[in-house]
Amino acid sequence: MGFDNHLPTRRELLVGSGALFAWSQMPRIARAEGRDPRLLVVVLRGALDGLGAVAPVGDPDWVGLRGDRALVLDGKPPALPLDSFFALNPAMPNLHRLYKTGKAAIVHAAATPYRERSHFDGQDVLESGFTKPGATASGWLNRALLATESGGRVDPRGSRALGIGSVTPLVVRGSAPVMTWVPQKLLPASEDTQNRLLDLYQHTDPKLATVLQARMKLASLGGAPGTGDPMSDDPTLMPPGIARVRAYFAEAAGTAARYLAKPDGPRVGAMGFVGWDTHIAEGAASGQLYNLLGALDGAFAAIESNMGEVWGETVVAVVTEFGRTARINGTQGTDHGTGTVAFLIGGALTGGRVIADWPGLKSAQLFEDRDLKPTTDLRAVLKGLLRDHLRVEEKVLADAVFPGSADVKPMGGLVG
Amino acid sequence: MSNSAKAEAVLALHRFGMGPRPGSLAAVGTDPRGALIAELDRPLALSAAASLPTSAKAYRTVADANARRAARAKQAQQQAKKQQVAAVPTAPGDQAQAQAQTEGQAPAQGQEKDAAEMAAKQAADAVPDPGRPIYLQEAKLRTEAALAADIGFAERLVWFWSNHFCISAYKIQSMSGAYEREAIRANALGHFVDLLLAVEGHPAMLFYLDNLGSMGANSIAGINRSRGLNENIAREIIELHTLGVRTGYTQDDVISFANVLTGWTLVPPGDNPEHGGEFTFNPRLHEPGGQTVLGKRYEQEDAEQGRAVLRDLAAHPATATHVATKLARHFVADEPPPPLVEQMAKTFRDTEGDLKQVAITMVSSDDAWRGSPSKLKRPSEWGVGMVRATGITVVDPTRFTAGQELLGEGLWRPSAPKGYPDDEASWIDGIGRRLDIANNFAERVAATADPQGIIEDVFASQIAPEVKQAVGRAESRQQALALLFMSADFQRR
């Protein structure tokens, strides 16, 4: 069964015999050009609040919308200015630095074609590349990899993708082989999951609620190392503090980068980070979301440093299934919405800009009078990256990688 | 099927079975009580067990490995000593000194002895312990039987009796799985007396409760040796396995019964490659003459004396009450309804301890079905229930047993002969660990398990609306599954 895995395992399942066929890892056409591009996709599961990550501080309706929860340039801490209109969450100094040096771009008010608000279905659409949710066995990144190899045929000698985590993200699953790596630091149930379970128990089973609450309290009091708390030695008894989340993000992302950087390693990879479903006490400026974005920013630093010399040939696309409500809800959080941001970082990017066809924040400008209206199709961004970075042909992108997307033109000029 | 029929079917699966799995609701049908009873007529034997060694074979395998290990260690130690001798400077007259060193008189002896011991240990470690893989194979077979069962009532009874008559794999790992198959599984639906005789005469139990070398003071072996009687098994049989604690027996009863059981041992594996590890009665260890246990005189010769006492203990009314109480507590409630216990005890008494009839009495009684599910599942039941819900039928035994260990209920590894406790207070503090396990399992199955599908198909939507809502709102399939597995509907029965 599955209950286990508390014995931390570090496994690497290599498919095929990697090192002997290093050349086959490299997308065929790019190889012909003497390039060796890398693409890492990071899926933020739970739906990131794009407005809490990248705030439209220049929009006259912004502060009215979020009140004292709005990120502002003179806030505490102050948001980091990106241009005259947008500012970045202060938890992300690395991203800010990359942006300033042209190695990061932000796409705002973007969304997949999915217009409902179910996480699972939204993630299916985001990762499968299809226009509708439903059972699909493969993801767009895997199909794109197939397209770059030998005219669409899998090279049996080892063209492969990288999946990080004990479950391979759907985006990278498919008929091209996937090697997976499971981080050593297994992330126990998140604070968010614990809070939800506690809420559930409070409504259904007071006894279980009491026990769970006591455990959470104990961990928050004595969880820090060095306090002499006997519990602190046992990771299974502690809910993860933000320090552990940061460590997990950095290890997972850093390892992905190390594999992609290897001369004979895979060239595309994918990983997921959970915890973005901030219904209660979102804490964009200080709190839950701030902490998570900080951990993500640390993951960016780990990727940059571990890519080493091939950073210049790297693109990382950070995407989420949908956004959140434009307004704050009754519990100082945000509910499921539509338009949100995507982060693009990497030495191969032509960045330093926020790409947005800004829809505005007035009631009538919001999607269904509640969400940031999506004005950019996320598939256009991804197709642009696949075409210009990995050299996947446009027709293949429209037919096989993102079926039914012929009228969604690849966005040009993202990579240099 | 009406909603109330569905609710009763789901309750039947949680309370008396291994939990709902795909197809199990259909197996229960509209007559849950009838379906539970019908399951007791199917064979309990594990067909795949043919590939596993008997307990005696497993024991011999480990004994052989131990012998090889000792031989290798000795050889390595001797070699290390020879090398030390050779390394000593060979100036005239040094031979005697070198000799002295090997006999442990020279100043450097400590170091050299350590080196020899290390070599011995390394050589020994090179011989793998066959007990562990046998344990894991047994664990796999047992767990997969629980996963595959339509309902799992019969498997739950095997688990119950295995815990009632527990041994410990810490002490006798190689036999732990075979013991359950040979003594428990073969008799769990028979008469209690046959179960009792099989258990107490099993080499694993005799080993676990220290009876192998127990000898009467006046036995042939006892007269010649300084060792003597061990009371352990006699006390536990009376106190835990049959009458129950504080049922009127005395210390004298325990000593007499221990004397009765002297000679119950196993065939030493070293001198018997065919029957080593099997039960045998060794008359040289047996205390001669009659004994009085609980006021009755037992004059039989050899092992028949012990069997006679066990038969009387099995038929004792206190045993009926003890067994009925434990069964009802395990299946129904920490404080089971007294009328239910009395009905079950009466069936036990009326049928000479027919365990199938006792089980039928239990599930036929309205008292066993009343009340909202308040019983907290033990970690093992909860864990298997979680895997069953996803439809998975194959397990990695290393991972599974490690998980059970982590939750405080290591397979065949209770810390005392009393077995694992069966009340909420003992397990509720482990909820936090369950969450980590559930979260981890959910992560691994999220790609294939659909939480909504489990609620609708496996649970027939018989689950609290709050849980459905929490699952629907979860940020990922993993989180949805973790919340579902951790819900009170999943934890309680």
Side-chain angles (χ1 to χ4, degrees), chain A residues 178-199:
Chain A
V178 180
M179 59 171 277
T180 63
W181 182 84
V182 181
Q184 241 169 342
K185 294 184 181 66
L186 276 167
L187 200 57
S190 68
E191 213 171 326
D192 176 53
T193 301
Q194 300 209 27
N195 282 324
R196 286 177 198 234
L197 185 61
L198 182 59
D199 182 60

Side-chain angles (χ1 to χ4, degrees), chain A residues 77-407:
Chain A
L80 310 170
L82 294 169
D83 56 22
S84 59
F85 194 81
F86 292 106
L88 183 63
N89 190 294
M92 307 190 84
N94 279 310
L95 178 58
H96 192 245
R97 173 181 53 79
L98 291 168
Y99 179 93
K100 288 291 172 195
T101 55
K103 299 305 171 198
I106 287 155
V107 185
H108 217 319
T112 69
Y114 181 68
R115 288 294 171 272
E116 308 289 318
R117 296 185 179 89
S118 150
H119 288 300
F120 314 146
D121 288 349
Q123 287 165 28
D124 277 354
V125 170
L126 172 70
E127 297 184 67
S128 71
F130 288 81
T131 52
K132 290 200 163 58
T136 50
S138 67
W140 57 260
L141 186 57
N142 192 292
R143 295 195 300 274
L145 179 65
L146 282 187
T148 63
E149 291 296 330
S150 317
R153 291 185 302 277
V154 192
D155 188 322
R157 287 174 296 184
S159 97
R160 52 191 156 111
L162 173 69
I164 296 285
S166 44
V167 172
T168 307
L170 172 63
V171 67
V172 79
R173 292 206 295 263
S175 43
V178 180
M179 59 171 277
T180 63
W181 182 84
V182 181
Q184 241 169 342
K185 294 184 181 66
L186 276 167
L187 200 57
S190 68
E191 213 171 326
D192 176 53
T193 301
Q194 300 209 27
N195 282 324
R196 286 177 198 234
L197 185 61
L198 182 59
D199 182 60
L200 182 56
Y201 283 169
Q202 278 163 344
H203 288 96
T204 56
D205 200 312
K207 263 187 180 170
L208 293 178
T210 306
V211 175
L212 185 63
Q213 199 161 25
R215 182 219 198 206
M216 290 164 73
K217 198 170 275 172
L218 184 70
S220 69
L221 290 177
T227 54
D229 172 17
M231 297 298 193
S232 64
D233 287 341
D234 185 346
T236 62
L237 290 178
M238 288 197 302
I242 189 60
R244 296 186 67 200
V245 174
R246 290 187 74 100
Y248 178 88
F249 277 27
E251 190 200 5
T255 305
R258 251 202 329 275
Y259 281 112
L260 292 173
K262 284 183 184 175
D264 58 345
R267 287 298 174 261
V268 303
M271 58 196 306
F273 288 135
V274 300
W276 305 90
D277 195 17
T278 47
H279 286 282
I280 301 167
E282 176 168 292
S286 65
Q288 233 188 125
L289 183 59
Y290 176 88
N291 286 336
L292 280 167
L293 288 170
L296 182 63
D297 198 55
F300 292 167
I303 293 170
E304 183 187 6
S305 90
N306 285 8
M307 280 293 182
E309 288 175 4
V310 301
W311 172 246
E313 298 197 83
T314 299
V315 169
V316 182
V318 184
V319 293
T320 185
E321 68 262 29
F322 44 68
R324 312 195 66 80
T325 48
R327 300 179 187 94
I328 297 287
N329 68 15
T331 55
Q332 301 303 327
T334 50
D335 295 316
H336 302 181
T338 310
T340 186
V341 295
F343 302 117
L344 309 175
I345 67 165
L349 274 169
T350 307
R353 59 209 163 106
V354 179
I355 301 159
D357 174 7
W358 193 245
L361 295 175
K362 295 188 193 309
S363 282
Q365 293 168 327
L366 297 177
F367 177 66
E368 297 181 350
D369 189 21
R370 57 173 268 156
D371 309 336
L372 180 62
K373 185 188 286 176
T375 51
T376 298
D377 193 319
L378 188 60
R379 291 173 299 174
V381 178
L382 299 170
K383 286 173 77 170
L385 292 175
L386 292 172
R387 183 191 67 186
D388 299 339
H389 192 50
L390 295 192
R391 296 287 191 262
V392 184
E393 290 161 28
E394 257 184 64
K395 181 158 169 32
V396 175
L397 286 173
D399 295 344
V401 179
F402 292 99
S405 70
D407 53 346

